[in-house]
Amino acid sequence: MEGVNTEPSANPGRPKVAANGLSSKSTRPDFPGTGAVATQTELQERIKMSLGLIDNIASIYAQNNLNQTQNSLQNTLTQLSSGMRINSGADDAAGLAVANGLGANVAALNQSGDNVSSGISLLQTADGALSQVTNLLNRAVTLATEAANGTLNSSQVSSANQEYQNILTEVGDIGSTTNFNGNQVFSATAKTVFVSDGTSSGADSYSETVGTLSATNIGISAPAGTTTAITNPTPTASTTTAGATATFALGSATDTVSGNLSVAIAGGTAITATLAAGTTLASAVTQLNAQASFSGAGLVASQGTGANANQLIITGPADTTTSGTNALTLTGAGVNFSSTGSTNVSQLTAATASTVLTSVTTAIQDVAYQRGIIGANINQLTAESNVASAESVNLTSAQSNVLATNYGAAASDLAKYQVLSQTGISALAQANQVQQEVLKLMQ
């Protein structure tokens, strides 16, 4: 037909090319997976966007992601190598504060355990020394019983007395030379054992008084009423206007008291008073105030009035400067083996053997009472040590839960970040090569 080119094209599948070198419609699937065909305008826009030379956005994205991956990888490796989940405040500020607080508690409790152990060791040292004193007193019982026998001559009684004197000397030496960590064990001054969990509300102090031991004071006996023992009260604190007071409360104002009372002021030498059996409260006040060493030290005895008429009150001197200086320390004084006169027990003779025997037997009982007090204090400190130890273990476990690395999770993170690191490096390399394609457009 005229005007129509019926001759087939030499390449019917090739698209018609425009003068600018671009086909008006491309059959290349420039949008893979969609079946859409890119137009000339769309191809030009895509070339502008992906082949710019000013900024390589793909490379920047790859760098940022790779940096984040490397930081996470480094943090994971730090956790794995240190064993700690929190290695700086940036890891977990709140968790670090909790862990440090628990660490302080644990440190205080561990040291408290050591404090208690030292206190127990001191008391055990005293108990062991008193055990030897009991052995010596048992030997004194044998000597006194032997000396009381009329079949011994004066020379034999003298030999028994010599050994008896050696026993008294040895008891005094034990009392004066027994030390723990440079501190005298047998003293009327209380030793304070401090226990704390690192907080003010969790602090506590235990005042442990062993008591004195000498030839003039063997053992401890608590002042006693007609039927029951009176526990030494805790004295009030002294001030610059009033002295410390110790109040003994009996069942009634008509009760009588007996026994030995030892009072020390400001940790000084103990002042001992002996109250005979059947001593009324009024008589006890008179006797104590009449004792020169008692009143000379500034101590005053009084009886309560009205509803408090059943009380025996011991008042110390007021402080001259610092409040609490003239604190009172109460102990029950034991048997005095230096006494002379009608109750002479300082010498073992045929005439004094019976009195010595009674006094030695009483001393053995007083030493047993003293060891009982020490044993009770040891048990109390042992219980406190167990509590501190258990609390330390529990707080250490809590601290570990906060700080310790979870190796299962950390190992999984390590594998993930290692793969991401490798893929990030590969992606960055590919992104850096993209701009080189621009050169192909200039060929």
Side-chain angles (χ1 to χ4, degrees):
M1 185 179 296
E2 185 179 353
V4 178
N5 185 6
T6 58
E7 185 176 336
S9 174
N11 191 353
R14 182 176 179 179
K16 189 178 294 184
V17 179
N20 58 7
L22 296 177
S23 63
S24 59
K25 190 171 185 180
S26 175
T27 59
R28 188 180 60 185
D30 288 286
F31 300 105
T34 64
V37 177
T39 64
Q40 175 180 342
T41 303
E42 290 171 342
L43 284 175
Q44 291 174 339
E45 291 298 326
R46 290 187 59 201
I47 291 174
K48 291 180 182 179
M49 294 176 61
S50 62
L51 296 181
L53 295 177
I54 302 301
D55 293 308
N56 190 338
I57 304 302
S59 177
I60 294 174
Y61 280 141
Q63 292 177 46
N64 289 339
N65 290 332
L66 182 58
N67 287 337
Q68 293 176 13
T69 299
Q70 292 299 108
N71 290 336
S72 298
L73 179 60
Q74 179 180 354
N75 186 50
T76 301
L77 289 172
T78 301
Q79 292 180 6
L80 290 171
S81 60
S82 67
M84 298 177 62
R85 182 181 66 87
I86 303 175
N87 294 281
S88 70
D91 295 333
D92 185 352
L96 182 63
V98 172
N100 287 346
L102 293 174
N105 295 146
V106 171
L109 287 169
N110 289 340
Q111 183 57 52
S112 294
D114 293 340
N115 291 352
V116 171
S117 295
S118 296
I120 292 175
S121 296
L122 182 145
L123 294 176
Q124 288 175 335
T125 301
D127 185 66
L130 290 176
S131 175
Q132 183 59 35
V133 170
T134 300
N135 293 335
L136 292 171
L137 293 178
N138 285 333
R139 178 57 182 167
V141 168
T142 301
L143 294 172
T145 304
E146 184 180 13
N149 191 7
T151 61
L152 271 64
N153 57 40
S154 59
S155 177
Q156 292 169 335
V157 173
S158 179
S159 296
N161 180 59
Q162 183 60 51
E163 185 177 353
Y164 175 72
Q165 296 302 319
N166 291 342
I167 289 174
L168 296 181
T169 301
E170 180 60 23
V171 169
D173 289 343
I174 292 174
S176 61
T177 62
T178 304
N179 295 297
F180 178 82
N181 194 30
N183 297 314
Q184 187 173 359
V185 171
F186 292 100
S187 170
T189 303
K191 304 295 190 300
T192 301
V193 178
F194 182 72
V195 179
S196 173
D197 63 357
T199 64
S200 57
S201 60
D204 201 358
S205 296
Y206 296 86
S207 183
E208 309 296 346
T209 303
V210 174
T212 59
L213 175 64
S214 65
T216 61
N217 181 25
I218 298 181
I220 291 178
S221 58
T226 54
T227 58
T228 59
I230 301 176
T231 303
N232 286 329
T234 301
T236 62
S238 58
T239 66
T240 55
T241 58
T245 60
T247 303
F248 296 87
L250 278 66
S252 68
T254 59
D255 284 350
T256 60
V257 293
S258 64
N260 298 315
L261 174 65
S262 180
V263 183
I265 304 173
T269 303
I271 300 166
T272 302
T274 301
L275 302 175
T279 303
T280 63
L281 283 177
S283 298
V285 170
T286 301
Q287 178 181 337
L288 291 172
N289 290 331
Q291 184 171 323
S293 59
F294 190 87
S295 58
L299 293 170
V300 177
S302 62
Q303 182 178 359
T305 59
N308 298 323
N310 64 325
Q311 295 179 352
L312 172 64
I313 305 171
I314 308 297
T315 304
D319 300 317
T320 56
T321 54
T322 306
S323 295
T325 301
N326 290 330
L328 296 182
T329 303
L330 303 177
T331 58
V335 176
N336 183 359
F337 283 94
S338 65
S339 62
T340 59
S342 59
T343 58
N344 181 22
V345 291
S346 63
Q347 298 292 324
L348 178 59
T349 65
T352 63
S354 179
T355 304
V356 169
L357 180 59
T358 301
S359 296
V360 171
T361 302
T362 301
I364 291 175
Q365 295 174 349
D366 289 351
V367 169
Y369 175 79
Q370 186 176 10
R371 292 185 67 186
I373 294 175
I374 292 173
N377 291 339
I378 289 175
N379 291 338
Q380 182 185 35
L381 290 180
T382 300
E384 178 58 36
S385 176
N386 293 338
V387 171
S389 177
E391 188 174 356
S392 176
V393 170
N394 292 330
L395 291 182
T396 300
S397 176
Q399 183 188 30
S400 179
N401 289 337
V402 176
L403 285 180
T405 297
N406 183 340
Y407 273 85
S412 177
D413 288 341
L414 176 64
K416 178 179 70 175
Y417 292 131
Q418 284 178 332
V419 172
L420 285 176
S421 177
Q422 295 172 7
T423 57
I425 292 174
S426 178
L428 179 59
Q430 294 294 329
N432 289 336
Q433 293 178 359
V434 167
Q435 289 183 323
Q436 296 180 6
E437 297 181 1
V438 174
L439 297 176
K440 296 180 179 180
L441 299 177
M442 301 176 64
Q443 293 177 355

